[in-house]
Structure formats: C-alpha cells, structure tokens
Amino acid sequence: MKRLDSRDANFNQQLDALLAWEGVSDAAVQARVIDIITRVRAEGDTALVEFSNQFDQVNAATMADLSVSPERLKQAYDGLPNTERDALTQAAERIRRYHAHQVQESWQYTEADGTILGQQVTALDRVGIYVPGGKASYPSSVLMNALPAKVAGVAEIIMVVPTPRGEINELVFAAAHLAEVDRVFTLGGAQAVAALAYGTETVPRVDKIVGPGNVYVATAKRHVFGQVGIDMIAGPSEILIYCDGQTDPDWIAMDLFSQAEHDEQAQSLLIACDAAYLDAVEASIERLLPTLDRVDIATTSLRDRGALILVADETEALALINRIAPEHLELSVADPQALLPSIRHAGAIFLGRHTPEALGDYCAGPNHVLPTSGTARFSSPLGVYDFQKRSSLIGCSPQGASTLAAVASVLARGEGLTAHARSAEYRLLPKAD
Amino acid sequence: MKRLDSRDANFNQQLDALLAWEGVSDAAVQARVIDIITRVRAEGDTALVEFSNQFDQVNAATMADLSVSPERLKQAYDGLPNTERDALTQAAERIRRYHAHQVQESWQYTEADGTILGQQVTALDRVGIYVPGGKASYPSSVLMNALPAKVAGVAEIIMVVPTPRGEINELVFAAAHLAEVDRVFTLGGAQAVAALAYGTETVPRVDKIVGPGNVYVATAKRHVFGQVGIDMIAGPSEILIYCDGQTDPDWIAMDLFSQAEHDEQAQSLLIACDAAYLDAVEASIERLLPTLDRVDIATTSLRDRGALILVADETEALALINRIAPEHLELSVADPQALLPSIRHAGAIFLGRHTPEALGDYCAGPNHVLPTSGTARFSSPLGVYDFQKRSSLIGCSPQGASTLAAVASVLARGEGLTAHARSAEYRLLPKAD
C-alpha cells in the first residue's frame, strides 16, 4: 500500500495523482445515450421493451412484463428471514426519524408598512429512484433514496431496477415494500432514465431522478438535467480516516477494507501523525486482507487508490481533510467534537473510534448517499431538502408597493427596461402634501 | 395575441405547443465548447487571452488587461448619479435582509444511549458569478447572485463579465463594488466557465458557478457540472398572471409587457374566468404596446409566445397554474393568501394587485433568479441555501455502536459486503449475562 509523507518535496503532486478521478463518458457513449433517449421519447413503451430485451437479456412482450405489482413486493418482504426483516425495519425506522429533522417549513414576515415576504415550501409531486441491478443492487440504497422523499411528502415514488438475465434481488423488492415505493418497473440504463424524465404510455413522467448507476445512467442523467431534477453524478466511494494513533489498528484496517471491498475504483486513505502507527495499521492490513471475502477487489482498490499518509501535526491533517473534501471522514480520535469547527468539507463525519462508516451505511439514520470526488466542497448528503422546493412570496401593501416602486423605477430605467419601470410606477400612490 | 379557451377540445394540445421550449445546444456547439474547455485546462491564461481577443474583440496582451481592480469598481460606484446609487443601495439592503432569513444552522441531537446525530452546515469557500455582457448585463443580477453568497458566508466571490468590443457597464461594476465581490475578470463565454471550474494561473478555481448566459455558457456549465456545482440552466423568462377581473386592465397589460420586453422568447400569459375582462386587457395591450421603448421585442414575444387564457372557474385556474409551474406567478385577486395552499409549483408568487413582478425583479428582497420552463416543479429560487452545504454527523457511544452494529452486520451480510459487517462487529460489546 502506498505511503505518502507530507514532508516530501513532491507530496502535492503525489496527492493530486492519487485523488485524480474523472468520470469518463466518451463520444461513443454520449451518442448511444442520445439515441436511446430520442427513441424512448418517440416510441415510448415499445422502445423500452426492445431496449430491455436487448440490454438486460430479458424476454418481455409488453410493459406488463416489466412492471412489478405491490403484491409481488409484499411477497418479497414477507419471504425474508426474520432477522433480515427486523434489521431492515429497524434501519428504516432510524432513517425516517433522522430525516424528519430535515423537514423545512414555510415562513412569512410582515414589514412595518404591511408588506409580506416569505417562502412557501412544498414537496415534489413525483420522484424516480434508479436502483442498479445485479451485484450493486443494494436494499439499503432503496431505503436511503426513498425514505427522505417520503418524509418530504412526495406523493408518488417510482422505482426502476434492471433485472439482467431475469435476476431479481428479493431484498431490493422487500425494501421497496418497506419504504412504500408506489410503483416499480424492471427497467435500467439510459432507457429507464429517459422513461422517467419524459414519461411513456406506462411509465409516468417524474419531477426528479435520484440514485446511482453506470456510465450510461450517469450520462443520461446529465443529459435530462433541466427537464427533470437530478441528484449528483456519483463517482467511486471513498473513506478518509484521521486517527490519533490510539485506535486498535485492526479496527482501522477493517474500516479501510469496508470501503475498498466496494469496487476496484474505491479509495481508502488513512492520515496519522505517527509513522509507527501507520506501520501497525499496515501490518494489520497485510494480516487481515487475505481473510476478506472480496479479497481481489479490496487488494486492487488498496494498491491502486489507497494510501497511508504521514503528516507533521493535527493542523496539517485538518488542512489535508479540507483539501480532499472526503465523502466519508472518520475522526478516530479521543475528542472528535473538538475538531468539528475546523472541518469545512466532508459528506459525512464519523465521530470517534466506535463510529465506523459501516454503521452509517446501513442504520445510524443519516443518509449514505453522499457527495464523492471532492464534491463535498459544494454539495450535501441526499436529504429531505432534495425533495422539497421553495416559492418566494411577495405581497405588497399599497403603501409598501409605492415605496418599492420608486426604487424599482430608477433601477429599471438604468437597465433600459422601461416597461418594468412603468409597471412599477402604476403602483405609486399620489404624494400626500 | 393568442386566445385560448379551456373548453376547446384541443385546449391541451394548444397549451402544450405554447409552453414547448427546449434549450438547444447542437453537436457543433457541444464540440466547440469541449474544445474551449480543453484548451483552457491545458493552456490556462494564454487560452483566456486568445479566446477573449477572438470572441469579445478586445485587445488584451495578458490577464492584467482582463482583470478589474477593486479601485476601478469603487470608481464606478462613486461615479453613479445619486438617485441610482441610492436605489441600488436600498435594493441591496432589502435583498440582504430577506436572505438573512434563509441561513441554515447546524443541528445535533443525542439519543438515549449517548449516540449523537446531526448535520453541520458550512458555507462554500469560493463562488464564481457569471454576468452576461452587452445588452443583457444587469446590475440587479449582480446583487441577486452575489448577496446570497455573502449572506451564506462565502469567503471569496469571483465575478466574470465579458466586455464585447471593450464595452463596460458602469452600473454592473458599481453593483459588484456594493455587493463586495472580491475579484472581477472581464471574461465571458465557455472560456470564462472553464477558467472558474478548473482555475488558471490568474483565475482561482471556484466551488460553484451561478448566473445566466448564452447557449455556449449554458453548455459549458452543464459540462463542468460535477467538477463544480452549478445553478439551474435558465430558459427564457415567463410570467403567468391570474386575475379575478377586478384589476385595472392597463396594470395587467403593463405587467405582461414587463416580461415580454426582456426578449423575443419571453412568455407572458394571463388566465381569467371572464371573457369580457380578457377583451379589456387585450384592448389595453393594443393601446399601450406602441408606446413601449422595446416595442419590437415585446410585440414578437406576445405574438409568438403570449396568450390570454379563458378558464371556467378558479379550480381550473389553479390546476393550470400547477401544470405550468410558472417562474413568476401574479395572483391579481382580492384575497391571494387564500389561494396559496393550492399553489404547488411556482418560482415566485406575487400576491395582490399592488405586487407587480417588477418590484420583485429589483428590490422587494426575494431573489429574481428563479426556476424557468416548468422547473419550479423541482427547483427553487436562488438562495443562501445554494451557498451552504451540509455534512452528516454520526457519533456513536460504545453502547449505541454495539446496538447499531448488530443491525448493520445483518444488512451488510445480506448485501454480501462482509468487510462492512466485520468492521461493525468489532464494535459489538460483550453480552452482559
């Protein structure tokens, strides 16, 4: 595993190289996606059935073969072993409770002259959730995407999940039942995104599409952005651990593995001020890595994208954290709250030795859909706020309108927009004198 | 001006045709923009100087010729006539005061077992504001984009504004001074967006880019989305007025003009339940239209995209409003507050006869950057919340971690992610018995 040292002359270049990641969707992917979207818009269900048969190797005759009934979802839920059903239910309950804190309320205030200003907060009408098929099909993602929308008050949630070669993930169906997803279609790829964005005879048009997907899905989402809302375009998952050298090295090694086992592109970084501690973690990694079920993926991920980083002191560590703006940040230190005011950019912050990322991934309550690849510099975890929107409220009293009209008239004429000025001036009250 | 009647058999098709608008950026524009971005990333300042000389027909030798000093901005401000400076200052003060209501605070709560959950809210470090050059260069837009960022606590604001053929808008410079913009470059087009997204020797890389622009700017913003945050891709501006037939028809006509004078693509719609009232407004339009300074633009806009729409009753009017999801909605009625609970989608809602859109455009306080083309279905006015982001906080007590680890372990094993499970299991406490 790579070792970096902040005292090295070329540390900055090494770090840049380590962090470099750019989602590539080349011209061929772009063209393919535009073609798929165009056909779904023109041909609707017919195109969906054709593309699904072609790309997912299913055998659908009509959209009925790509629609999942609520009864089928319930059957999946009822069929789960008790321990799994209980765990899923507890996770859902905690996620709901946490997200309830994010609900935003409308507000208004009245100025001295009677003018009212404020914002009205409303939920989106209809939301689409993309769930990847096959191996990356996670029931926890269904909960994390659907429950904030439910808490926001979204009236209808449409889920799409491809079933490559007919493979169904019962846990995903069960999670959809638990999260009260309204309709499920076994669709995937750019065609699913197009169907949600524009609607077909069977698939209703939604107002926003959330959820991760492959390069075709990401490219399609970027393309339909504006027609519908979208969440972030997600890159590979990352963890950055800052440790004071007092946490059991085996714990830290396993926390790094929990990220590295996701996929070869995942990134696991550890920062410490103590070289001997980095040695100890490296020894744990070497001992434990061969015991992992997903040893090949984790080995590649750690080799290509992982690093143990030595820094001079806590100040340097904090600067590095903010520069990296990690998706997941573990502060494996004695007093993590003391560091919080210095952390400006991170998707989720895990406080203390007893808070591994895995708890947040499943059931602590906060969302596991988080900004990757440094985008925590400007974006937030998925939340209820992503499923609410605001309308400005302006209600002028006759006196208030008259006062504002005088100002607006000057500014509008300054911009050469004289119809604006005259519209304002109609609301001037006669001067009392 | 077009007249629509909701009783017509083909009303829905007519309405769809009226509302249809799609931002087109064809393959040629795409290719040009990607080329410009690639060159700015590779060549930095050199490319910026070259592109500016080429596209803006300026005569720059180095970036110093494309940089505006704070002294130059102050000079523009000091040089304004008193009435304009006062109006701008009053508008800024009201915009600041309103947006202060949008500031979001961090929160935490502690569960019974000592586990802490919450969100930490922080401001973006650095924001870029794109201001169009030439005729669409509006000082009010500088205030509306910069002040929410300032209120959010953004440390540094970089503004770009092209100066085609060297044309400088003194009001724009003055507004930048008033809004305390930190640095200004006279750059425009895709090259300005690329510079802000990736940084050059002179232009610092920002975390988010906001502000409207032409098709090259919009295409470039869509392209760099993910590298930086962006606001919405704006379409043409629109107003929808619902009137109970009791407002002076001249007022309504001028309110429609205030939208139509923006550009030929702008959309002005009026809904009423009373055909005679629509006749009266049409008569006002015919009488007043020739008196406008921007008569040609307004005439084209009203002819191509405007409409007077007759509906059967208020219920129908409200359904139509929500279907259109207008950028600006004027409720020119006696009791507008009574209608608010029925309005689900609108960028800004102007309440009552004394609240024309023009007051909101300049100085009422709420933002004039609003979701266009029906995107109010899923997005909000520009606000302080666009310049703040959140980090989830999770701090488990040893007992809390143990409880959660049991749940996470089951779910992680269900997903085949056993390193996740083992990372959680390390935090299980020995069972007391």
Short mmCIF file of all heavy atoms in Angstrom, two decimals, chain B residues 371-419:
data_model
loop_
_atom_site.label_atom_id
_atom_site.label_comp_id
_atom_site.label_asym_id
_atom_site.label_seq_id
_atom_site.Cartn_x
_atom_site.Cartn_y
_atom_site.Cartn_z
N PRO B 371 -36.58 29.49 -11.05
CA PRO B 371 -36.67 28.36 -11.98
C PRO B 371 -37.63 28.65 -13.14
O PRO B 371 -38.78 29.02 -12.92
CB PRO B 371 -37.18 27.22 -11.10
CG PRO B 371 -37.78 27.87 -9.89
CD PRO B 371 -37.09 29.17 -9.70
N THR B 372 -37.15 28.46 -14.38
CA THR B 372 -37.94 28.74 -15.58
C THR B 372 -38.45 27.44 -16.22
O THR B 372 -38.07 26.35 -15.81
CB THR B 372 -37.07 29.46 -16.62
OG1 THR B 372 -35.94 28.63 -16.90
CG2 THR B 372 -36.58 30.80 -16.10
N SER B 373 -39.27 27.59 -17.24
CA SER B 373 -39.70 26.47 -18.12
C SER B 373 -40.26 25.29 -17.34
O SER B 373 -39.98 24.13 -17.67
CB SER B 373 -38.51 25.97 -18.96
OG SER B 373 -37.87 27.04 -19.60
N GLY B 374 -41.02 25.56 -16.31
CA GLY B 374 -41.65 24.47 -15.57
C GLY B 374 -40.75 23.80 -14.55
O GLY B 374 -41.17 22.84 -13.90
N THR B 375 -39.51 24.27 -14.41
CA THR B 375 -38.61 23.61 -13.47
C THR B 375 -38.93 23.95 -12.02
O THR B 375 -38.32 23.38 -11.11
CB THR B 375 -37.13 23.94 -13.79
OG1 THR B 375 -36.94 25.35 -13.74
CG2 THR B 375 -36.74 23.43 -15.17
N ALA B 376 -39.88 24.85 -11.80
CA ALA B 376 -40.36 25.08 -10.43
C ALA B 376 -41.02 23.82 -9.87
O ALA B 376 -41.28 23.74 -8.67
CB ALA B 376 -41.33 26.26 -10.39
N ARG B 377 -41.28 22.82 -10.73
CA ARG B 377 -41.74 21.51 -10.25
C ARG B 377 -40.73 20.88 -9.31
O ARG B 377 -41.09 20.07 -8.46
CB ARG B 377 -41.95 20.55 -11.42
CG ARG B 377 -43.12 20.87 -12.33
CD ARG B 377 -43.25 19.80 -13.43
NE ARG B 377 -42.15 19.82 -14.37
CZ ARG B 377 -41.32 18.81 -14.60
NH1 ARG B 377 -41.47 17.66 -13.94
NH2 ARG B 377 -40.35 18.92 -15.48
N PHE B 378 -39.44 21.21 -9.49
CA PHE B 378 -38.43 20.54 -8.68
C PHE B 378 -37.31 21.47 -8.21
O PHE B 378 -36.40 20.99 -7.55
CB PHE B 378 -37.82 19.36 -9.43
CG PHE B 378 -37.28 19.70 -10.79
CD1 PHE B 378 -36.01 20.22 -10.93
CD2 PHE B 378 -38.05 19.52 -11.94
CE1 PHE B 378 -35.51 20.55 -12.17
CE2 PHE B 378 -37.56 19.86 -13.20
CZ PHE B 378 -36.28 20.37 -13.32
N SER B 379 -37.38 22.76 -8.53
CA SER B 379 -36.30 23.60 -8.03
C SER B 379 -36.79 24.92 -7.47
O SER B 379 -37.96 25.26 -7.58
CB SER B 379 -35.18 23.76 -9.05
OG SER B 379 -35.68 24.18 -10.28
N SER B 380 -35.89 25.65 -6.87
CA SER B 380 -36.21 26.78 -6.00
C SER B 380 -35.55 28.05 -6.50
O SER B 380 -34.61 27.99 -7.30
CB SER B 380 -35.70 26.49 -4.58
OG SER B 380 -36.27 25.32 -4.06
N PRO B 381 -35.99 29.18 -6.01
CA PRO B 381 -35.25 30.42 -6.29
C PRO B 381 -33.81 30.28 -5.80
O PRO B 381 -33.55 29.54 -4.84
CB PRO B 381 -35.99 31.46 -5.43
CG PRO B 381 -37.34 30.88 -5.15
CD PRO B 381 -37.15 29.41 -5.14
N LEU B 382 -32.87 30.99 -6.42
CA LEU B 382 -31.52 31.06 -5.88
C LEU B 382 -31.61 31.61 -4.46
O LEU B 382 -32.41 32.50 -4.18
CB LEU B 382 -30.67 31.99 -6.75
CG LEU B 382 -29.16 31.98 -6.45
CD1 LEU B 382 -28.54 30.67 -6.90
CD2 LEU B 382 -28.45 33.15 -7.14
N GLY B 383 -30.82 31.04 -3.57
CA GLY B 383 -30.89 31.49 -2.18
C GLY B 383 -29.63 31.18 -1.41
O GLY B 383 -28.68 30.59 -1.95
N VAL B 384 -29.64 31.58 -0.16
CA VAL B 384 -28.49 31.33 0.72
C VAL B 384 -28.18 29.84 0.76
O VAL B 384 -27.02 29.42 0.81
CB VAL B 384 -28.79 31.88 2.13
CG1 VAL B 384 -27.70 31.48 3.12
CG2 VAL B 384 -28.93 33.40 2.08
N TYR B 385 -29.26 29.01 0.73
CA TYR B 385 -29.09 27.56 0.77
C TYR B 385 -28.28 27.04 -0.41
O TYR B 385 -27.78 25.93 -0.36
CB TYR B 385 -30.46 26.85 0.84
CG TYR B 385 -31.54 27.56 0.05
CD1 TYR B 385 -31.64 27.44 -1.33
CD2 TYR B 385 -32.44 28.41 0.71
CE1 TYR B 385 -32.61 28.13 -2.04
CE2 TYR B 385 -33.41 29.11 -0.01
CZ TYR B 385 -33.50 28.95 -1.37
OH TYR B 385 -34.45 29.63 -2.07
N ASP B 386 -28.17 27.79 -1.50
CA ASP B 386 -27.34 27.35 -2.63
C ASP B 386 -25.86 27.56 -2.36
O ASP B 386 -25.02 27.07 -3.12
CB ASP B 386 -27.73 28.12 -3.90
CG ASP B 386 -29.07 27.68 -4.43
OD1 ASP B 386 -29.20 26.49 -4.74
OD2 ASP B 386 -29.99 28.51 -4.53
N PHE B 387 -25.56 28.30 -1.31
CA PHE B 387 -24.16 28.61 -1.00
C PHE B 387 -23.75 28.02 0.35
O PHE B 387 -22.71 28.34 0.89
CB PHE B 387 -23.94 30.13 -1.04
CG PHE B 387 -24.27 30.72 -2.38
CD1 PHE B 387 -25.46 31.43 -2.57
CD2 PHE B 387 -23.43 30.52 -3.46
CE1 PHE B 387 -25.77 31.96 -3.81
CE2 PHE B 387 -23.74 31.05 -4.71
CZ PHE B 387 -24.91 31.76 -4.88
N GLN B 388 -24.61 27.17 0.90
CA GLN B 388 -24.28 26.42 2.09
C GLN B 388 -24.38 24.94 1.74
O GLN B 388 -25.10 24.56 0.82
CB GLN B 388 -25.29 26.72 3.21
CG GLN B 388 -25.24 28.13 3.73
CD GLN B 388 -26.14 28.31 4.95
OE1 GLN B 388 -27.33 27.98 4.93
NE2 GLN B 388 -25.59 28.85 6.02
N LYS B 389 -23.65 24.10 2.47
CA LYS B 389 -23.82 22.67 2.30
C LYS B 389 -23.71 22.02 3.66
O LYS B 389 -23.32 22.66 4.64
CB LYS B 389 -22.79 22.09 1.31
CG LYS B 389 -21.38 22.11 1.87
CD LYS B 389 -20.60 23.23 1.31
CE LYS B 389 -19.19 23.39 1.83
NZ LYS B 389 -18.60 22.60 2.84
N ARG B 390 -24.04 20.75 3.72
CA ARG B 390 -24.19 20.05 4.98
C ARG B 390 -23.26 18.85 5.04
O ARG B 390 -23.02 18.20 4.03
CB ARG B 390 -25.64 19.58 5.13
CG ARG B 390 -26.67 20.67 4.94
CD ARG B 390 -28.05 20.07 4.77
NE ARG B 390 -29.10 21.06 4.57
CZ ARG B 390 -29.46 21.54 3.39
NH1 ARG B 390 -28.86 21.12 2.27
NH2 ARG B 390 -30.44 22.41 3.30
N SER B 391 -22.77 18.56 6.22
CA SER B 391 -22.06 17.32 6.48
C SER B 391 -22.84 16.56 7.54
O SER B 391 -23.17 17.13 8.59
CB SER B 391 -20.65 17.60 7.01
OG SER B 391 -19.92 18.43 6.13
N SER B 392 -23.14 15.29 7.29
CA SER B 392 -23.82 14.49 8.30
C SER B 392 -22.88 14.27 9.48
O SER B 392 -21.67 14.13 9.31
CB SER B 392 -24.20 13.12 7.75
OG SER B 392 -25.01 13.26 6.62
N LEU B 393 -23.43 14.23 10.67
CA LEU B 393 -22.66 13.94 11.87
C LEU B 393 -23.19 12.66 12.52
O LEU B 393 -24.40 12.53 12.75
CB LEU B 393 -22.79 15.08 12.88
CG LEU B 393 -22.29 16.45 12.43
CD1 LEU B 393 -22.54 17.49 13.52
CD2 LEU B 393 -20.81 16.39 12.09
N ILE B 394 -22.29 11.73 12.79
CA ILE B 394 -22.66 10.49 13.45
C ILE B 394 -21.59 10.21 14.51
O ILE B 394 -20.43 10.01 14.16
CB ILE B 394 -22.69 9.29 12.49
CG1 ILE B 394 -23.45 9.66 11.21
CG2 ILE B 394 -23.29 8.07 13.15
CD1 ILE B 394 -23.45 8.56 10.16
N GLY B 395 -21.98 10.21 15.77
CA GLY B 395 -21.03 9.90 16.83
C GLY B 395 -21.63 8.87 17.77
O GLY B 395 -22.51 9.18 18.58
N CYS B 396 -21.19 7.62 17.65
CA CYS B 396 -21.81 6.56 18.44
C CYS B 396 -21.13 6.42 19.80
O CYS B 396 -19.90 6.37 19.89
CB CYS B 396 -21.71 5.23 17.70
SG CYS B 396 -22.71 5.17 16.21
N SER B 397 -21.93 6.33 20.83
CA SER B 397 -21.41 5.89 22.12
C SER B 397 -21.05 4.40 21.99
O SER B 397 -21.57 3.72 21.09
CB SER B 397 -22.48 6.08 23.20
OG SER B 397 -23.56 5.20 22.94
N PRO B 398 -20.18 3.87 22.85
CA PRO B 398 -19.88 2.43 22.76
C PRO B 398 -21.15 1.58 22.80
O PRO B 398 -21.30 0.63 22.01
CB PRO B 398 -19.00 2.19 24.00
CG PRO B 398 -18.30 3.51 24.21
CD PRO B 398 -19.33 4.56 23.84
N GLN B 399 -22.11 1.94 23.66
CA GLN B 399 -23.36 1.17 23.72
C GLN B 399 -24.16 1.32 22.44
O GLN B 399 -24.68 0.35 21.88
CB GLN B 399 -24.19 1.62 24.94
CG GLN B 399 -25.49 0.86 25.11
CD GLN B 399 -25.29 -0.66 25.14
OE1 GLN B 399 -24.50 -1.16 25.97
NE2 GLN B 399 -25.95 -1.39 24.25
N GLY B 400 -24.26 2.59 21.95
CA GLY B 400 -25.00 2.85 20.72
C GLY B 400 -24.38 2.11 19.54
O GLY B 400 -25.10 1.54 18.70
N ALA B 401 -23.06 2.13 19.49
CA ALA B 401 -22.36 1.44 18.39
C ALA B 401 -22.67 -0.06 18.42
O ALA B 401 -22.91 -0.67 17.37
CB ALA B 401 -20.86 1.67 18.51
N SER B 402 -22.69 -0.62 19.60
CA SER B 402 -22.94 -2.05 19.73
C SER B 402 -24.35 -2.41 19.23
O SER B 402 -24.54 -3.39 18.49
CB SER B 402 -22.76 -2.47 21.19
OG SER B 402 -22.86 -3.88 21.32
N THR B 403 -25.32 -1.60 19.61
CA THR B 403 -26.70 -1.84 19.15
C THR B 403 -26.79 -1.74 17.62
O THR B 403 -27.38 -2.61 16.97
CB THR B 403 -27.65 -0.79 19.77
OG1 THR B 403 -27.47 -0.81 21.19
CG2 THR B 403 -29.10 -1.08 19.43
N LEU B 404 -26.20 -0.68 17.08
CA LEU B 404 -26.27 -0.49 15.62
C LEU B 404 -25.47 -1.55 14.87
O LEU B 404 -25.85 -1.96 13.77
CB LEU B 404 -25.75 0.91 15.25
CG LEU B 404 -26.60 2.09 15.71
CD1 LEU B 404 -25.93 3.40 15.31
CD2 LEU B 404 -28.01 2.02 15.11
N ALA B 405 -24.37 -1.98 15.47
CA ALA B 405 -23.51 -2.96 14.80
C ALA B 405 -24.26 -4.26 14.53
O ALA B 405 -24.07 -4.90 13.49
CB ALA B 405 -22.25 -3.22 15.63
N ALA B 406 -25.13 -4.64 15.47
CA ALA B 406 -25.90 -5.88 15.30
C ALA B 406 -26.79 -5.78 14.06
O ALA B 406 -26.90 -6.73 13.27
CB ALA B 406 -26.73 -6.15 16.55
N VAL B 407 -27.42 -4.62 13.87
CA VAL B 407 -28.30 -4.41 12.72
C VAL B 407 -27.47 -4.33 11.43
O VAL B 407 -27.77 -4.99 10.43
CB VAL B 407 -29.12 -3.11 12.90
CG1 VAL B 407 -29.98 -2.84 11.67
CG2 VAL B 407 -30.00 -3.20 14.15
N ALA B 408 -26.40 -3.50 11.47
CA ALA B 408 -25.57 -3.30 10.28
C ALA B 408 -24.97 -4.62 9.81
O ALA B 408 -24.87 -4.88 8.60
CB ALA B 408 -24.48 -2.28 10.57
N SER B 409 -24.58 -5.46 10.75
CA SER B 409 -23.96 -6.73 10.41
C SER B 409 -24.90 -7.61 9.58
O SER B 409 -24.51 -8.17 8.55
CB SER B 409 -23.55 -7.44 11.70
OG SER B 409 -23.28 -8.79 11.45
N VAL B 410 -26.16 -7.68 10.01
CA VAL B 410 -27.14 -8.48 9.26
C VAL B 410 -27.34 -7.92 7.85
O VAL B 410 -27.31 -8.66 6.86
CB VAL B 410 -28.51 -8.49 10.00
CG1 VAL B 410 -29.58 -9.13 9.13
CG2 VAL B 410 -28.38 -9.21 11.34
N LEU B 411 -27.51 -6.60 7.75
CA LEU B 411 -27.78 -5.99 6.45
C LEU B 411 -26.57 -6.08 5.53
O LEU B 411 -26.71 -6.35 4.33
CB LEU B 411 -28.21 -4.54 6.63
CG LEU B 411 -29.56 -4.36 7.35
CD1 LEU B 411 -29.84 -2.88 7.63
CD2 LEU B 411 -30.71 -4.95 6.53
N ALA B 412 -25.38 -5.88 6.07
CA ALA B 412 -24.16 -5.95 5.25
C ALA B 412 -23.96 -7.36 4.72
O ALA B 412 -23.62 -7.57 3.55
CB ALA B 412 -22.95 -5.50 6.07
N ARG B 413 -24.19 -8.34 5.57
CA ARG B 413 -24.06 -9.73 5.09
C ARG B 413 -25.12 -10.04 4.03
O ARG B 413 -24.85 -10.77 3.08
CB ARG B 413 -24.11 -10.70 6.27
CG ARG B 413 -22.84 -10.59 7.13
CD ARG B 413 -22.73 -11.56 8.30
NE ARG B 413 -21.54 -11.25 9.09
CZ ARG B 413 -20.30 -11.66 8.79
NH1 ARG B 413 -20.10 -12.42 7.73
NH2 ARG B 413 -19.27 -11.30 9.54
N GLY B 414 -26.30 -9.46 4.19
CA GLY B 414 -27.35 -9.63 3.18
C GLY B 414 -26.93 -9.08 1.82
O GLY B 414 -27.36 -9.55 0.78
N GLU B 415 -26.09 -8.05 1.85
CA GLU B 415 -25.61 -7.45 0.60
C GLU B 415 -24.28 -8.05 0.15
O GLU B 415 -23.71 -7.61 -0.85
CB GLU B 415 -25.47 -5.93 0.77
CG GLU B 415 -26.81 -5.22 1.00
CD GLU B 415 -26.70 -3.70 1.06
OE1 GLU B 415 -25.57 -3.18 1.09
OE2 GLU B 415 -27.75 -3.04 1.09
N GLY B 416 -23.77 -9.00 0.90
CA GLY B 416 -22.51 -9.64 0.52
C GLY B 416 -21.29 -8.77 0.80
O GLY B 416 -20.21 -9.01 0.27
N LEU B 417 -21.45 -7.74 1.64
CA LEU B 417 -20.34 -6.84 1.95
C LEU B 417 -19.82 -7.20 3.35
O LEU B 417 -20.10 -6.52 4.33
CB LEU B 417 -20.79 -5.39 1.86
CG LEU B 417 -21.22 -4.93 0.46
CD1 LEU B 417 -21.77 -3.51 0.47
CD2 LEU B 417 -20.05 -5.02 -0.54
N THR B 418 -19.01 -8.25 3.42
CA THR B 418 -18.65 -8.80 4.73
C THR B 418 -17.57 -8.00 5.45
O THR B 418 -17.44 -8.10 6.67
CB THR B 418 -18.23 -10.27 4.59
OG1 THR B 418 -17.35 -10.39 3.47
CG2 THR B 418 -19.45 -11.15 4.36
N ALA B 419 -16.78 -7.19 4.71
CA ALA B 419 -15.84 -6.32 5.44
C ALA B 419 -16.61 -5.23 6.18
O ALA B 419 -16.25 -4.84 7.30
CB ALA B 419 -14.82 -5.70 4.47
#
